[in-house]
Amino acid sequence: MNRMARMARGLLLMFTLFAICSLQGCKDYNELNDLALVDMVGVDLNEDGTYQAYYQVLNPNGVAGSKTGSFRSPLFTFEFRGKSWPEFTRLATQTLSRKLFINHFQAYIVSERLAKHGIGDLLNFLESDPRRRMATSIYVTKSPIKDIMNTYVPMETNPGKELRSIQKLQYEVTGQSDNKSNLKTLLENFENEQLAYISMIKLTDQEPFMTTKRFQTIEGNRGNFQYVGASIIKQAHAIGELKAPQLSTLFFLLGTNKSLLQDLKWNESESAQIQMIGKPKTDYQLFLQHGQPKLDIRIKPSLELVTIDQEEKLDSKTLRRLEAMFDKKMEDQSIKLIKLANEKQWDLLGIQDRIAKRINPKWATLKSNPVAWMETDVSVTVHSSIIKTGTLLTPYKGGK
């Protein structure tokens, strides 16, 4: 079955599922042909204080031509400008011939400018909508949002699905996401001091791929999405950002990533790659030492030796050396990240919240100090175990 036919079947199935969902969640029957099914929403803040909204609407006629092999657009992006979020529904009726259906869209894209300004009004609007889905993914884009909302991607007909798949891989393979970049996380932390980490994306190319010729080219990187890290959100405002490698270290410290890849190299010709298996065991001990708060973090991850390139036979001595190298590297990366967090005044480890939960009267003064977490001495100890290796213990010598 060729690519076009598979896309056609996928699009048909997607519309069928949307139809089923709409019938199950509504008292009134809505004809599918009367609805504009929204797959992805993008929002930006203009210099005059107005909002720019983008709705990516699925096209039910976006299927492959049977004879010419032509491909109609699987979706259309509509752009509106308004002063408030509810206003966009009215504006849409002036352009779209169908009623907006946003109950089951894949992703919400927010511009970096709007994230820094604050998305409290947007969250309040979404929270007041009984149709909204708490699990809807949210992303902050470093590229112009207009480009993000007007590009085709290579592996999926609907870009929202591709974004969710990329984020899932970061959680399951690299450990660079905690899989909580969604509406639910932002709403839960709206009125407290907890930080949220919202995935950041950009285009891999300078220009978006705006025509269906995308599906006829081999250039996979062109106009595609790229995961680059996370925006740190505090009470609906972006206060900073972390790059993807820094996130894997942070989530390792927090014990929330179930995988992590680490490259180890001990000389010019010998190296290995280690992968963490499952979430690590973490032990946080917060106590007072000479009147000052101290936090000891002990982490015990289980590891798999993915690949190794060395001259000698793989034995227990080599495994212990790799474990020690992994431990040292993660400890160094952790201390470096903690130092950065103090400089930027980011309470990445939630230390202030831990102090607030102390019930001993000795903590009273520190509990009343909102920056007591910055005075906390943090130590990190990692003790890993390689529990899984490959089958090749003695390297081949041929071709050397």
Side-chain angles (χ1 to χ4, degrees), residues 2-64:
N2 60 37
R3 177 184 172 87
M4 296 299 185
R6 289 198 302 271
M7 284 183 169
R9 287 188 57 189
L11 193 62
L12 180 60
L13 176 60
M14 184 165 50
F15 269 90
T16 302
L17 292 175
F18 268 114
I20 293 173
C21 291
S22 64
L23 290 178
Q24 289 178 339
C26 303
K27 293 181 180 179
D28 298 327
Y29 177 79
N30 286 315
E31 290 287 351
L32 186 59
N33 289 335
D34 294 334
L35 299 176
L37 305 178
V38 178
D39 182 67
M40 194 161 74
V41 178
V43 290
D44 194 8
L45 178 68
N46 296 311
E47 293 183 359
D48 62 359
T50 60
Y51 297 109
Q52 206 78 12
Y54 301 81
Y55 291 92
Q56 211 165 75
V57 177
L58 299 173
N59 176 19
N61 298 315
V63 297

Side-chain angles (χ1 to χ4, degrees), residues 234-283:
K234 182 178 180 180
Q235 294 179 340
H237 288 79
I239 62 172
E241 64 181 78
L242 290 172
K243 296 179 180 179
Q246 294 172 317
L247 287 171
S248 62
T249 301
L250 172 61
F251 297 138
F252 177 77
L253 280 169
L254 297 175
T256 56
N257 53 355
K258 70 174 186 178
S259 181
L260 181 147
L261 288 173
Q262 190 63 272
D263 296 326
L264 304 175
K265 189 172 184 178
W266 51 98
N267 59 49
E268 290 299 322
S269 61
E270 296 183 310
S271 61
Q273 186 178 71
I274 301 290
Q275 184 171 20
M276 186 173 70
I277 306 174
K279 294 182 178 181
K281 296 179 180 178
T282 58
D283 180 31

Side-chain angles (χ1 to χ4, degrees), residues 247-257 260 280 282-284 297-299 330-331 333-335 337-338 349 354 378-382:
L247 287 171
S248 62
T249 301
L250 172 61
F251 297 138
F252 177 77
L253 280 169
L254 297 175
T256 56
N257 53 355
L260 181 147
T282 58
D283 180 31
Y284 276 59
I297 304 176
R298 300 179 182 181
I299 308 174
M330 293 308 302
E331 289 171 359
Q333 289 179 183
S334 297
I335 296 302
L337 180 62
I338 292 170
L349 301 179
R354 297 176 188 275
V378 182
S379 65
V380 180
T381 303
V382 180

Side-chain angles (χ1 to χ4, degrees), residues 93-110:
T93 63
Q94 298 173 1
T95 302
L96 275 72
S97 59
R98 302 181 182 188
K99 183 179 179 181
L100 276 181
F101 184 83
I102 60 174
N103 297 31
H104 299 282
F105 62 91
Q106 297 274 352
Y108 224 110
I109 315 297
V110 177

